[in-house]
Amino acid sequence: MMLSRAKPATGAGRISAIKGDRKTQELPKLEDFLQKRDYTGAITLLEFNRSSGKTDIDTDLWIACCLFHLGDYKGAMEIYEKVTNRKEFLPEVWNYLACAYFLLGMYPEAYEASKKGPKTGLQNRLLFHLSHKFSDENSLMDYHQNLQDILEDQLSLAAIHYLRNHYQEAIDVYKRILLDNRDYLALNVYIALCYHKLDYYDVSQEVLQAYLQQYPDSAIALNLKACNHFRLYDGKAAENELKSLQDMASPTFTFNRDLIKHNMVVFQGGDGALQVLPPLVDVIPEARLNLVIYYLKQDDITEAYALIKDVEPCTPQEYILKGVVNAALGQEQGTREHLKIAQQYFQLVGGSASECDTIPGRQCMASCFFLLKQFQDVLLYLNSIKSYFYSDDNFNFNYAQAKAANGNFKDAEEIFCMIQSEKIKHDYVYISWLARCYIMNHKPRNAWELYLKMETSGESFSLLQLISNDCYKMGQFYYSAKAFHVLERLDPNPEYWEGKRGACVGVFQQIIADREVKDRLQEVIQMLGNISNPQVEYITRTMKKWAKESKVQL
């Protein structure tokens, strides 16, 4: 694909200066530019002819055609509209105008214009695609039946297969065409794109190479190569592939420029998302989804939900993302409705024949059972894919929770401690689950230290309640008493006093049985304090008497 004008005019000028009598023979012809796909050069020639008075309706139509091929659909549309306002013009222009409307996303206008055009193969193909856009299955099948076994119709059919996520069917059509037309190298790009969608990134790269060897400056092919590198390696590798593409993006090829800007944001982990993605939401389909992902990463659940709530999911990625947003909103607001919607979306993807054995499909089933609190089933799915996410903090966070909820606190503690993300480590869910794991693994001091690192808040109060009760259940009475003591000072609830009293007596019993160090008896007596209560007086008197008899210094 040539995006800049070829320069035969320079050579022609030199020859004409030497051989004036051959001047007219060396002038470039429109057919020469079109043959080389130099549409910028073709427009220059056509504009020159028009300014020289050599103009007719064909000149306007050729300019519109060249603008269309350069991706300037708006410019093409404006010319076609002017032509249709004339008294006489070819009826086929309505179909050309409809094509421009279609690529501008003006589908109702495209439909109306195409209906005014003659019944041709082009009109049928256009209405075929419009039926898909309108989700009109009956019309889609009608226009499908009108397709013939010719190149243009078969390419149109393959495109619809691709748009309906039937990637293998699209590959079959493209391969069949390629078998009869070995020189149609661009079909390799379409096949590579299908393999990319099927997550066969290495196969996609191999097929794509056949085209890039012939056309190393192809914008679409280089972009796909960058996307494959992003999936196979990382964002940095993908960025490097896009550098050459950035240099060649021309002002007239706006789609290419927008695509580069969009993908750069993705490759760079969301940098510049708010500047780049919002204007592209209705231009590039993935822009909306990536903007939703950006909002999720920023914990802006409300904005993410506002952006995706009206989207009718069609692809597994859209179902998954809508499920994630609903799950996040349901957990944030405590609404069962959103959690139920999320669970249904996850189940739909994870249970589908095409996704059930994929990694995202198994993640979806794990998420579904997580929301249903069926943690044994969660582990069944997460265990099958854990080797792919060994150092993934988000995966390990959910995996550890499932392990702990299923009673496997030893493994859960190890997985929690593998997490490096400071954001997750400051999350109360992480802190509370890790504290419970420490207590269940007989490390109450570690749990207490987690509390000491927290600032005074509602979350620290909740953690105290967890430590006090879990330590009591596990017979770790010293740290239970300390937690109940702080709780009682913050909230003079009789239950906290009763918990502290029981824990203090428990510590005393363990000291007597040599299961706790004797030095802690003094701290226990201090925690009981000088409360004017017969029970307290009796307990402290008994403790002091034993200490005296056992020669324990208080």
Side-chain angles (χ1 to χ4, degrees), residues 61 68 76-77 80-81 83-84 89-103 109-127 130:
L61 290 177
F68 186 92
M77 174 196 73
Y80 287 137
E81 284 179 338
V83 172
T84 58
F89 62 90
L90 289 171
E92 186 68 16
V93 175
W94 285 113
N95 288 334
Y96 303 155
L97 176 59
C99 289
Y101 282 144
F102 181 86
L103 288 169
E109 291 86 348
Y111 180 79
E112 292 299 325
S114 66
K115 281 297 186 180
K116 295 177 183 178
K119 291 187 176 181
T120 62
L122 174 61
Q123 186 204 50
N124 186 73
R125 290 191 293 274
L126 182 60
L127 291 171
L130 284 168

Side-chain angles (χ1 to χ4, degrees), residues 158-175:
I160 289 294
H161 279 317
Y162 177 88
L163 293 169
R164 290 164 72 86
N165 308 317
H166 302 157
Y167 304 118
Q168 190 56 56
E169 289 86 342
I171 290 172
D172 294 341
V173 175
Y174 288 134
K175 283 187 174 179

Side-chain angles (χ1 to χ4, degrees), residues 229-277:
H229 277 220
F230 179 65
R231 294 294 188 179
L232 289 169
Y233 309 112
D234 53 30
K236 194 67 181 173
E239 275 186 68
N240 293 335
E241 289 298 327
L242 272 192
K243 282 181 180 178
S244 58
L245 192 51
Q246 277 182 311
D247 297 336
M248 60 182 280
S250 65
T252 54
F253 201 49
T254 55
F255 175 75
N256 181 47
R257 189 170 65 247
D258 289 341
L259 194 61
I260 295 171
K261 285 162 61 181
H262 170 274
N263 286 353
M264 270 299 187
V265 168
V266 176
F267 297 160
Q268 292 172 351
D271 288 351
L274 292 179
Q275 289 74 39
V276 174
L277 298 183

Side-chain angles (χ1 to χ4, degrees), residues 172-283:
D172 294 341
V173 175
Y174 288 134
K175 283 187 174 179
R176 191 166 62 248
I177 296 171
L178 197 57
L179 243 136
D180 299 329
N181 304 274
R182 292 286 183 183
D183 56 332
Y184 289 1
L185 292 177
L187 292 177
N188 287 293
V189 179
Y190 302 150
I191 295 170
L193 191 55
C194 291
Y195 279 124
H196 176 88
K197 289 291 188 179
L198 288 169
D199 297 342
Y200 296 134
Y201 307 117
D202 48 351
V203 179
S204 173
Q205 198 75 336
E206 187 179 337
V207 174
L208 190 63
Q209 200 58 36
Y211 183 79
L212 281 171
Q213 284 175 353
Q214 192 72 23
Y215 301 102
D217 60 346
S218 166
I220 300 299
L222 284 172
N223 176 68
L224 180 54
K225 184 180 179 182
C227 292
N228 283 333
H229 277 220
F230 179 65
R231 294 294 188 179
L232 289 169
Y233 309 112
D234 53 30
K236 194 67 181 173
E239 275 186 68
N240 293 335
E241 289 298 327
L242 272 192
K243 282 181 180 178
S244 58
L245 192 51
Q246 277 182 311
D247 297 336
M248 60 182 280
S250 65
T252 54
F253 201 49
T254 55
F255 175 75
N256 181 47
R257 189 170 65 247
D258 289 341
L259 194 61
I260 295 171
K261 285 162 61 181
H262 170 274
N263 286 353
M264 270 299 187
V265 168
V266 176
F267 297 160
Q268 292 172 351
D271 288 351
L274 292 179
Q275 289 74 39
V276 174
L277 298 183
L280 301 179
V281 162
D282 295 319
V283 178

